[in-house]
Amino acid sequence: MSENKSVLQGFKDFLMRGNVIELAVAVVVGAAFTSIVNAVVKGVINPIVGAFGSQNLDNYQTCLSTCSVDKKTGLYVDGIYVLWGSVLSAALTFLITAGVVYFLMILPMNKWKARQDAKKSADDAAAPTPTEIELLTEIRDALIAQRNGTSATPGAAAAAAIVTQKTQQTQQTQQTQQ
């Protein structure tokens, strides 16, 4: 029973990982974009191409050797021919899909991430960490206050504790080396 539980838990962990969910969203969005791209090709690109010839790009072909043409459809029926119109249609569909994905999804996401990183770095800059010189100054002041038997600033107590820890670590290192 516990093995089944661990398998199910592992499967749940796999499904809840960010990459799997992002991939599922990408597939769904890609399917939605396919219908949009097909509509743009059919409604915009094909009529522009139709101004120069047939609106159906699949009708564009070139014969490489002796070919006979069907008089009703105007298509080659025998011989060796290249269907370059369907290749052009697929290339246009790919370029339009890539453009839509880049300009409507990738570019805005990159700008948003850049703004988030800028905010994060601004937040990190708001809380500066003390420099080495400042820490050494606090340690010196704490040691002086300790020798004089007086209490120093609140940070000095922490600095004195750090000095004590460092001294103990140094002594332990020296003992292990001997």
Side-chain angles (χ1 to χ4, degrees), residues 3-39:
E3 185 176 317
N4 286 341
K5 190 173 186 178
S6 65
V7 170
L8 291 176
Q9 181 64 33
F11 184 66
K12 179 183 173 190
D13 292 342
F14 169 74
L15 289 178
M16 298 311 288
R17 255 189 234 150
N19 294 342
V20 174
I21 294 171
E22 289 172 4
L23 181 62
V25 169
V27 169
V28 170
V29 170
F33 272 132
T34 300
S35 63
I36 292 171
V37 169
N38 288 337

Side-chain angles (χ1 to χ4, degrees), residues 61-70 75-82:
Q61 52 192 344
T62 302
C63 183
L64 296 178
S65 67
T66 57
C67 298
S68 60
V69 179
D70 185 7
L75 299 174
Y76 297 114
V77 290
D78 291 331
I80 301 171
Y81 50 90
V82 176

Side-chain angles (χ1 to χ4, degrees), residues 41-43 45-60 89:
V41 169
K42 184 179 177 184
I45 303 297
N46 285 350
I48 292 172
V49 172
F52 302 107
S54 172
Q55 281 193 6
N56 187 358
L57 291 177
D58 293 334
N59 291 340
Y60 290 97
S89 176

Side-chain angles (χ1 to χ4, degrees), residues 17 32 44 47 67 71 75 81 84 91 96 111 121 127-128 133 142-143 157 178:
R17 255 189 234 150
V44 177
C67 298
K71 294 189 184 210
L75 299 174
Y81 50 90
W84 61 270
I96 291 170
K111 287 183 180 181
S121 65
I133 303 237
L143 288 172
Q178 293 175 357

